[in-house]
Amino acid sequence: MTLLVRAVLLKILILFLVSLLQSFREETDLSQFTQVSSSPEELLKLTSELFSRWIEIGCPPSIETCTLPTLPPSVKRKDYGPSRARLLTTRAISAPCLSFDILRDGDGDSREQFPLSMLLCAGTQADTALKNRLLVMRMYNLHGTEKDKEEGESSDEESDEEEEDEEKKPQMELAMMPHYGGINRVRVTQFGEQSLAAVWSEKGQVEIFDLRPQLEAVHSSAAMAAFIKQEKEAAALFSFSGHMTEGFAIDWSPKVPGRLVSGDCKKNIHVWEPREGGTSWQIDQRPFSSHTKSVEDLQWSPTEATVFASCSVDQSIRIWDIRAPPNSMLSANEAHSSDINVISWNRSEPFLLSGGDDGLLKVWDLRQFKTGRPVANFKQHSAPITSVEWNPVDSSVFAASGADDVASLWDLSVESCDMGARVEAVRDLPPQLLFLHQGQSEIKEIHWHPQMPGVMVSTALSGFNVFRTISV
């Protein structure tokens, strides 16, 4: 091992030990311990053993899933009040998921009482095509993180709390089906009695899957045993190879059940119409083709059944009507200074949200779309934007994530004049910025849960996070 490598490793390990010691010193009376000195070699050995043991305990490689620490490793943060998380749980999967979507369940809307539960559908991006999975997760027994300890608690009370904490550990059931090829994007919908997933994969096909077997498995131990026993590659209900290349953009219509739109890396967009019976689709072979480069994201209008929006590597955002193919109706041709990665259509206001490689978040008023100028422009992220989504119940609130490993929460209703009581340390931040969530590596997507106000789920290279702030 070269001297340079040894020096770098020693620095990393010393920083790790210093972090542990700082936490230890804050909570421990050091006067009860004798002081000893250690040589650099002894310090390196001790720190290496501690670091290795921490990794071993934190996530054993022998299992496919593990529970990670409920708070991300970080320095102690100042508490500015409204930026604290109420709920935070972390889940790691055997391979990272580039995309996921939230399945609606039958437990009702506007759920806030703990414990919470949720259903997710996701697709993996494994290191080889054969190792990929299309999976359905049921996370349950999700509790809030807030706990105000009373002064002078007895040891019995502390013991009771430990038992209570054990009972409140988040749980997960996972039903996985082998899928050949990495999954670029997953979007789900309810179509009659079926829960369907539309999947864009690296093999250049858009596939539709019926998720009922997996949903039954995550709700029943007997169904799970049968599901695992007959483990086989996911069989698509329907597939389309007409794009002739891979892609990422896909969206189900919120107005017409079963209607789908998909876009590829060669600039083409196809609209799918469901046929009677719900097991096949009619796809117009003539694509919508006004873009000049890869179509990165698509969003149906929440109010107009025939209208959808798209964004592209060609830096434009376009509005289309399926009754007037093949060209777009409206466009903002230089909406960003680089690739536009993601868009989101507000459910109750005529606003479109976009995020690009330039790290910018832009809000577009569709009534003024022809001007090519956004009504709001935010530069908080220091890397490309990877996901954006409006809050489903509050039309002024949205969330975003970036390649800077940060998820951000915004409220357009906050005005600059509200800054009077702001702490000096955050005075330079945009007043509309409510919350920054950190602790994940390479965040790819973030979604609001449609049935739990304020609850967000994000996926990253390091796994899934579920959190709710007291800001919303």
Side-chain angles (χ1 to χ4, degrees):
M1 184 182 294
T2 67
L3 290 176
L4 178 59
V5 172
R6 292 183 65 185
V8 171
L9 287 174
L10 180 60
K11 183 176 180 181
I12 292 173
L13 293 173
I14 289 175
L15 288 173
F16 174 73
L17 182 58
V18 167
S19 176
L20 287 177
L21 289 175
Q22 285 177 341
S23 176
F24 181 76
R25 292 173 67 181
E26 289 175 359
E27 302 174 5
T28 309
D29 180 10
L30 299 182
S31 62
Q32 58 182 311
F33 296 95
T34 57
Q35 294 187 357
V36 295
S37 60
S38 298
S39 67
E41 290 78 10
E42 291 170 332
L43 179 62
L44 178 62
K45 181 181 178 182
L46 171 63
T47 311
S48 178
E49 290 173 351
L50 285 171
F51 189 66
S52 299
R53 181 59 178 155
W54 178 77
I55 293 176
E56 179 185 346
I57 294 174
C59 187
S62 59
I63 59 175
E64 288 197 347
T65 65
C66 64
T67 303
L68 301 182
T70 56
L71 286 175
S74 63
V75 297
K76 185 177 180 181
R77 305 178 192 276
K78 293 182 179 179
D79 183 6
Y80 297 128
S83 64
R84 294 175 61 201
R86 276 183 180 165
L87 179 151
L88 174 58
T89 187
T90 305
R91 286 291 176 177
I93 307 299
S94 55
C97 297
L98 185 67
S99 178
F100 76 101
D101 206 358
I102 298 173
L103 287 149
R104 293 185 68 91
D105 57 40
D107 295 337
D109 295 334
S110 302
R111 306 201 303 267
E112 296 189 30
Q113 186 173 354
F114 296 121
L116 298 172
S117 65
M118 63 181 62
L119 294 166
L120 308 179
C121 178
T124 65
Q125 282 272 331
D127 53 2
T128 66
L130 286 170
K131 290 183 180 180
N132 284 291
R133 300 290 185 270
L134 176 65
L135 53 93
V136 169
M137 289 178 281
R138 183 169 74 95
M139 295 185 185
Y140 60 101
N141 203 40
L142 304 180
H143 288 267
T145 56
E146 287 186 337
K147 182 186 290 184
D148 297 323
K149 288 193 175 182
E150 298 288 339
E151 292 186 8
E153 284 184 337
S154 68
S155 58
D156 289 340
E157 290 173 332
E158 290 178 355
S159 177
D160 290 342
E161 280 191 0
E162 290 178 1
E163 292 179 5
E164 183 182 347
D165 288 343
E166 188 68 25
E167 293 175 356
K168 289 186 175 181
K169 279 189 175 180
Q171 304 294 322
M172 181 174 72
E173 296 291 341
L174 184 62
M176 302 188 294
M177 287 194 295
H179 181 278
Y180 184 81
I183 294 175
N184 297 340
R185 193 157 294 172
V186 175
R187 292 293 180 262
V188 300
T189 191
Q190 191 70 27
F191 188 38
E193 297 298 317
Q194 297 174 303
S195 293
L196 301 180
V199 171
W200 243 129
S201 71
E202 63 183 5
K203 60 186 180 183
Q205 290 183 337
V206 182
E207 300 164 295
I208 308 296
F209 293 93
D210 186 348
L211 300 177
R212 280 181 292 184
Q214 288 167 282
L215 287 170
E216 291 172 2
V218 298
H219 284 96
S220 163
S221 57
M224 178 65 79
F227 179 84
I228 294 173
K229 187 176 182 180
Q230 58 173 260
E231 183 178 3
K232 56 185 179 182
E233 186 173 344
L237 191 67
F238 185 84
S239 64
F240 176 60
S241 303
H243 280 287
M244 306 298 289
T245 186
E246 70 175 310
F248 294 85
I250 196 166
D251 194 38
W252 291 102
S253 169
K255 300 293 290 182
V256 180
R259 178 177 284 173
L260 185 72
V261 62
S262 58
D264 61 44
C265 293
K266 286 186 177 178
K267 80 179 180 61
N268 292 321
I269 298 170
H270 290 275
V271 173
W272 304 38
E273 296 290 352
R275 288 176 172 152
E276 189 174 352
T279 59
S280 64
W281 280 258
Q282 175 66 43
I283 303 168
D284 193 339
Q285 297 302 308
R286 181 178 60 164
F288 293 83
S289 56
S290 293
H291 284 297
T292 59
K293 295 182 180 179
S294 174
V295 178
E296 298 295 284
D297 203 6
L298 291 160
Q299 282 274 284
W300 285 101
S301 165
T303 56
E304 299 290 335
T306 61
V307 176
F308 67 88
S310 64
C311 67
S312 170
V313 171
D314 65 16
Q315 304 174 17
S316 73
I317 299 173
R318 295 182 179 273
I319 309 297
W320 312 72
D321 191 320
I322 63 175
R323 297 170 297 184
N327 299 316
S328 59
M329 296 190 301
L330 300 171
S331 67
N333 290 321
E334 295 181 358
H336 285 252
S337 60
S338 57
D339 301 4
I340 307 175
N341 301 323
V342 284
I343 52 174
S344 178
W345 203 314
N346 195 297
R347 295 194 183 187
S348 55
E349 301 291 341
F351 293 151
L352 200 65
L353 174 65
S354 64
D357 272 359
D358 51 13
L360 289 173
L361 295 165
K362 297 188 178 186
V363 180
W364 305 85
D365 188 334
L366 296 174
R367 295 165 297 190
Q368 306 172 23
F369 195 67
K370 288 183 178 180
T371 66
R373 294 190 297 272
V375 294
N377 196 330
F378 301 105
K379 177 60 175 175
Q380 177 64 32
H381 289 270
S382 59
I385 304 299
T386 57
S387 183
V388 293
E389 188 167 282
W390 290 101
N391 186 300
V393 294
D394 190 334
S395 62
S396 67
V397 174
F398 68 84
S401 65
D404 54 359
D405 301 338
V406 175
S408 58
L409 179 63
W410 303 78
D411 188 348
L412 297 182
S413 67
V414 178
E415 301 291 342
S416 298
C417 60
D418 297 336
M419 293 181 62
R422 287 164 67 84
V423 181
E424 184 65 32
V426 296
R427 195 174 294 278
D428 293 334
L429 295 175
Q432 294 83 7
L433 179 61
L434 296 182
F435 179 76
L436 293 175
H437 175 69
Q438 296 173 287
Q440 289 183 282
S441 173
E442 297 187 34
I443 304 175
K444 296 300 183 183
E445 273 191 6
I446 186 166
H447 295 300
W448 298 92
H449 198 291
Q451 296 171 279
M452 302 177 199
V455 172
M456 288 176 279
V457 186
S458 57
T459 184
L461 183 65
S462 51
F464 288 85
N465 272 194
V466 179
F467 57 97
R468 182 174 70 189
T469 79
I470 61 174
S471 304
V472 293

